[in-house]
Amino acid sequence: MSIMRVKSVEQSIQDAEAPEFRLRRVLRAVDLLGIGIGAIIGTGIFVLTGVAAATDAGPGISISFVISGIACGLAALCYAEFASVVPVAGSAYTFSYASLGEFLAWIIGWDLMLEFVIGASTVSVGWSQYFVEALSAIGLGLPESLTAAPGAGGAMNLPAAIIALLLTVVLVVGIRLSASVTNVVVAIKLAVVLFFIIFGAFFVKTANWDPFIPPHQPPDPSETGSALNDPLINAIFGSTGSFGVSGLVAGAALVFFAYIGFDIVASGAEETRRPQRDMPIGILGSLAICSILYVLVSLVMTGIVKYDKLDTAAPMATAFQAIGAPWAVGLVSLGAIAGLTTVILILMLGQARVGFAMARDGLLPVYFAKVHPKYRTPYRITVITGIVVAIIASLTPIDVLAEMTNIGTLFAFVLVSIGVLVMRRTRPDLPRAFRVPLVPVIPILAALACLYLMLNLEGWTWLRFGIWMALGLLIYFVYSKHRSRLGRGETIEDAAEEAD
């Protein structure tokens, strides 16, 4: 019983067409664009831009966004090819199963579960903070005991739990409703971002861009601490300090996480009307639109306020306050709430689809692969996801757990990039509506770029990631390896009977 057994593309597509597990194909290219933009534009554009500019890159943060955009673009090309070849739910998990084998597919699926659940939980807490502030601004304050987790001054974060459960209902009712809600909210936050760019451009002072790339500052020898608090790359090559060319790269590693989300588009392949055409449009289109917006926002932001004044949790609001437009701060808050709402929704969507695919394959209990008879959504795994997110969000304060989403995403990018090379060699006969150009150069560059960015994460993140992966290995060898439908030679009909 080989742990490297591969599930063929044909079998994956056949399973997706089984009546008991078939999802409704209702998504269009515009819906996929909305999902991608909705997932990408969130905390990153409202927070990370200012932090990276102040601590790493200065006004050159716009160049950092270009560097990160190129790295993401390389990975996005690989995702687009896979999504056009294997139009099945599960994203990187499904792609890995079809190219790298069951064991690595389990690893990436387990990894994605961590990314999506922890990501949705932490963003729910962030949403709660903005929501509470908005209520306070109109005189509707809530008691701290109901708006903060234990350890953060409260008993539970009720708004965070409520938003997670409300969005769970939206996801259960149907992917079409989810996409419609996403499109409306995306339109709101895009309007806010465009307003910031256009209105703020009139207040840009080019003197604030000088120097555009601040001189390199070597590390301060007096600042010492645990090696686990530093990026892993520092332990390999030594600390490089900040600003200068190395600062641009460090800034790129930080703002890279503002791009996280385009990969979730691939999880909706099985619910897309014309996946071979629309998936590449959704993946590459959303990434291109957000890259342009990020560069413009960073240029306007650092043009309004000197970069060393932007190390705040709300750099857009700081910029509007600097030009004497406090009324515009409310618009930024509206955009932040809208942005975070879609991020929560889409992260839970991605988790439900990955869990659904793993359950349908028998690596998780088949019970969770049951599709709702009316809405044709994987309602059981969706409800479980929503409850877990609500519990974590209500009881956990925002801290370094958020970084766990980053390492999981990068690891997925690495495996998908390698998978394209493997699939080109093992299944050159498969029709490819979209093909990665310059193979093997592009996939190799994508894998190396993502691996390098992984090395820029701190030691604690790697340690926690290792513990989570060790737990996943235990579950695989104790349960999943023996319950695998592929390993047991079971048909999709057998799984349907077990799910009932």
Side-chain angles (χ1 to χ4, degrees), residues 113-419:
M113 289 169 60
L114 173 71
E115 172 195 345
F116 293 149
V117 169
I118 297 300
S121 301
T122 52
V123 176
S124 295
V125 177
W127 183 95
S128 174
Q129 292 177 342
Y130 274 103
F131 181 71
V132 170
E133 289 178 5
L135 288 181
S136 298
I138 59 175
L140 298 176
L142 295 176
E144 186 178 8
S145 61
L146 296 179
T147 59
M156 69 175 299
N157 194 329
L158 187 59
I162 290 175
I163 187 61
L165 294 175
L166 286 176
L167 294 180
T168 298
V169 174
V170 173
L171 288 171
V172 168
V173 169
I175 186 66
R176 191 72 187 88
L177 174 61
S178 304
S180 299
V181 171
T182 297
N183 289 340
V184 171
V185 181
V186 165
I188 294 173
K189 66 179 176 182
L190 279 180
V192 172
V193 171
L194 290 174
F195 170 77
F196 177 84
I197 294 171
I198 297 171
F199 179 71
F202 291 98
F203 299 90
V204 168
K205 297 179 182 178
T206 55
N208 288 329
W209 288 339
D210 186 23
F212 194 75
I213 302 177
H216 177 258
Q217 294 181 6
D220 187 349
S222 64
E223 295 182 359
T224 58
S226 171
L228 292 176
N229 293 325
D230 296 329
L232 187 61
I233 196 169
N234 286 1
I236 301 174
F237 299 107
S239 181
T240 57
S242 57
F243 300 112
V245 175
S246 62
L248 294 179
V249 177
L254 179 58
V255 299
F256 172 87
F257 308 126
Y259 285 99
I260 288 177
F262 75 84
D263 57 314
I264 299 178
V265 176
S267 67
E270 196 171 322
E271 294 158 280
T272 302
R273 292 178 180 176
R274 292 182 289 181
Q276 285 78 9
R277 189 204 72 161
D278 293 345
M279 291 305 299
I281 293 175
I283 292 172
L284 298 174
S286 60
L287 182 61
I289 291 172
C290 293
S291 296
I292 294 171
L293 292 176
Y294 279 0
V295 171
L296 293 175
V297 165
S298 61
L299 285 172
V300 171
M301 186 181 296
T302 55
I304 295 176
V305 181
K306 194 69 175 176
Y307 69 90
D308 56 359
K309 307 295 184 184
L310 288 172
D311 191 6
T312 69
M316 280 188 177
T318 300
F320 279 141
Q321 290 169 352
I323 61 178
W327 56 271
V329 175
L331 285 177
V332 173
S333 297
L334 174 63
I337 292 174
L340 296 179
T341 300
T342 54
V343 172
I344 299 167
L345 179 71
I346 296 166
L347 284 172
M348 291 200 299
L349 169 70
Q351 158 58 21
R353 270 46 182 184
V354 170
F356 167 75
M358 296 177 73
R360 189 167 59 187
D361 290 333
L363 301 186
L364 291 177
V366 179
Y367 171 85
F368 295 120
K370 183 70 174 179
V371 173
H372 196 282
K374 177 180 179 181
Y375 302 122
R376 308 305 302 172
T377 56
Y379 70 104
R380 289 177 178 173
I381 191 67
T382 299
V383 170
I384 291 296
T385 296
I387 292 174
V388 171
V389 169
I391 292 173
I392 294 175
S394 65
L395 301 178
T396 308
I398 288 183
D399 54 16
V400 294
L401 285 177
E403 292 188 11
M404 293 301 295
T405 65
N406 306 332
I407 194 169
T409 301
L410 286 165
F411 186 55
F413 289 0
V414 171
L415 287 185
V416 168
S417 301
I418 296 173

